[in-house]
Amino acid sequence: MTREQKIQKFLMGLCLNAGESMEDIAKHLGVSSNSAEIKEIMHYLEQEGFIKNTRVEYKSTKTSLTKKGDRQASSLLEVSN
């Protein structure tokens, strides 16, 4: 799976509330990633303005979508249907 596909899956997972954390979303949506990759993706999503309020706890990365992120995720979900 490419980095872009992982980013899209994480955005859709956040939109669908597929888990309590990014690690949960990865597990539920079958995204193979490690902590370093999740942090890299989260940094990218923050820079693009798709997420906010990111918190890194022990083995758990939590965040929430911005309005821009919600629109992007919704658009991705519509395209995938």
Side-chain angles (χ1 to χ4, degrees), residues 1 4 8 16 25 38 40 68 71:
M1 182 178 298
E4 185 62 32
Q8 291 175 356
L16 295 170
I25 290 170
I38 287 175
E40 180 184 314
K68 179 181 178 181
R71 284 191 305 270

Side-chain angles (χ1 to χ4, degrees), residues 1 6 9-10 13-14 18-34 37-38 41:
M1 182 178 298
K6 288 181 181 184
K9 281 199 172 212
F10 278 120
L14 285 167
E20 291 285 322
S21 68
M22 295 305 287
E23 292 78 8
D24 288 341
I25 290 170
K27 181 179 172 183
H28 292 291
L29 298 181
V31 178
S32 175
S33 59
N34 58 37
E37 187 175 28
I38 287 175
I41 289 171

Side-chain angles (χ1 to χ4, degrees), residues 31-81:
V31 178
S32 175
S33 59
N34 58 37
S35 296
E37 187 175 28
I38 287 175
K39 285 180 186 177
E40 180 184 314
I41 289 171
M42 301 310 302
H43 182 70
Y44 170 81
L45 292 173
E46 278 183 321
Q47 284 185 321
E48 293 298 314
F50 293 135
I51 60 173
K52 63 181 178 182
N53 303 325
T54 301
R55 303 167 310 284
V56 179
E57 301 168 1
Y58 180 72
K59 295 188 178 185
S60 177
T61 308
K62 298 180 180 182
T63 192
S64 55
L65 287 172
T66 62
K67 288 181 183 181
K68 179 181 178 181
D70 191 51
R71 284 191 305 270
Q72 179 69 18
S74 295
S75 174
L76 290 168
L77 287 167
E78 287 176 17
V79 170
S80 68
N81 287 331

